[in-house]
């Protein structure tokens, strides 16, 4: 019985994952291909984010996501001032902009160019590092951040591009931008990671 229960659990997880991936691929498949081809030159001319691996072992990292709880502690970010690296998902920029908070790193993985409104009015030239996914809209590589690097957002969908670029680091994919940010913090070697606004779509 225990073995059957375990098999049922694995089958359920497999079905959910298959449905999720299938839905995502169907909604973005052509966009991913077009963006990947359009970004090829940018990917050759900017470093992969793995160049920062194990470079921040003694530095705390704060990951900012746009969940409703962000309102409770967003103002504390004003006092960070070099005590930690602040990685903000692009979805949280509108909230940071309202309080004149500039994160050290912005991470953007969405393939859709319509999401560009998150960057509208934000002082990108003050951002130390903009990290983009390999298959995001090419327009984002023109944003005026001080430095740019890239990851591939999801190994399941972007591996064709990674094979062309001879990149074998499959650790930096994630199901969402917050997961990708957490994996970056881990790969960068930080021993202290705080997440704020991580409740995302959950309410009360």
């Amino acid at each position: 019985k225990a073995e059957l229960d375990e098999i049922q659990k694995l089958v359920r997880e497999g079905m959910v994952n298959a449905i999720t991936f299938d839905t995502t691929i169907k909604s973005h498949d052509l966009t991913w291909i077009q963006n990947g081809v359009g970004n090829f030159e940018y990917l050759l001319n900017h470093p992969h984010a793995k160049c920062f691996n194990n470079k921040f072992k003694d530095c705390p990292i704060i990951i900012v996501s746009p969940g409703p709880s962000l309102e409770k502690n967003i103002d504390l970010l004003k006092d960070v001032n070099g005590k930690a690296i602040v990685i903000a998902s692009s979805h949280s920029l509108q909230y940071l902009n309202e309080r004149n908070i500039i994160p050290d790193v912005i991470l953007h993985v969405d393939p859709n160019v319509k999401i560009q409104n998150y960057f509208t009015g934000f002082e990108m030239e003050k951002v130390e590092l903009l990290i983009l996914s390999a298959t995001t809209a090419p327009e984002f590589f023109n944003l005026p951040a001080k430095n740019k690097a890239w990851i591939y957002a999801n190994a399941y969908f972007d591996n064709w591009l990674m094979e062309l670029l001879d990149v074998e680091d499959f650790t930096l994919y994630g199901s969402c931008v917050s997961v990708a940010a957490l994996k970056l913090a881990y790969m960068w070697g930080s021993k202290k990671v705080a997440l704020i606004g991580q409740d995302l779509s959950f309410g009360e």
Side-chain angles (χ1 to χ4, degrees):
K1 186 179 184 303
E3 285 183 283
L4 284 174
D5 288 343
E6 184 65 21
I7 291 170
Q8 283 183 324
K9 179 183 175 184
L10 290 172
V11 169
R12 277 196 301 271
E13 288 177 357
M15 290 174 67
V16 170
N17 287 339
I19 292 169
T20 302
F21 294 150
D22 189 54
T23 302
T24 306
I25 289 171
K26 284 179 179 175
S27 61
H28 292 303
D29 54 359
L30 186 58
T31 302
W32 259 310
I33 294 170
Q34 290 173 335
N35 288 351
V37 172
N39 286 334
F40 201 75
E41 185 175 350
Y42 295 120
L43 304 183
L44 292 173
N45 291 321
H46 291 92
H48 189 283
K50 69 179 180 180
C51 67
F52 298 109
N53 286 2
N54 298 313
K55 297 290 174 64
F56 299 102
K57 291 181 179 179
D58 300 319
C59 191
I61 290 178
I62 300 171
I63 297 172
V64 184
S65 302
S69 68
L70 180 59
E71 291 290 334
K72 298 177 184 177
N73 46 31
I74 189 171
D75 290 316
L76 297 175
L77 292 173
K78 295 177 182 177
D79 300 323
V80 171
N81 278 339
K83 298 173 187 172
I85 295 173
V86 177
I87 301 177
S89 71
S90 55
H91 300 66
S92 65
L93 292 183
Q94 60 191 62
Y95 305 102
L96 296 175
N97 201 27
E98 290 169 1
R99 292 166 172 79
N100 297 311
I101 297 171
I102 305 293
D104 302 295
V105 180
I106 293 174
L107 178 61
H108 178 73
V109 300
D110 199 295
N112 195 335
V113 73
K114 293 179 182 177
I115 212 165
Q116 194 159 359
N117 63 322
Y118 288 135
F119 295 90
T120 302
F122 200 86
E123 296 180 284
M124 289 299 300
E125 63 277 0
K126 293 184 178 180
V127 176
E128 289 295 332
L129 179 62
L130 173 64
I131 301 178
L132 299 166
S133 71
T135 48
T136 191
E139 289 88 342
F140 291 110
F141 277 94
N142 294 319
L143 290 170
K146 294 180 184 178
N147 301 284
K148 294 174 192 139
W150 59 273
I151 62 171
Y152 50 100
N154 200 308
Y156 293 106
F157 311 134
D158 300 352
N159 60 339
W160 62 275
L161 190 54
M162 299 308 102
E163 289 176 5
L164 289 173
L165 293 164
D166 199 27
V167 173
E168 296 182 357
D169 187 343
F170 281 85
T171 57
L172 293 177
Y173 68 91
S175 56
C176 70
V177 65
S178 300
V179 173
L182 184 58
K183 290 189 176 184
L184 276 175
Y186 174 77
M187 296 305 297
W188 290 359
S190 177
K191 299 294 188 291
K192 296 179 180 178
V193 181
L195 299 97
I196 63 174
Q198 185 58 40
D199 44 331
L200 300 178
S201 60
F202 294 98
E204 298 282 327

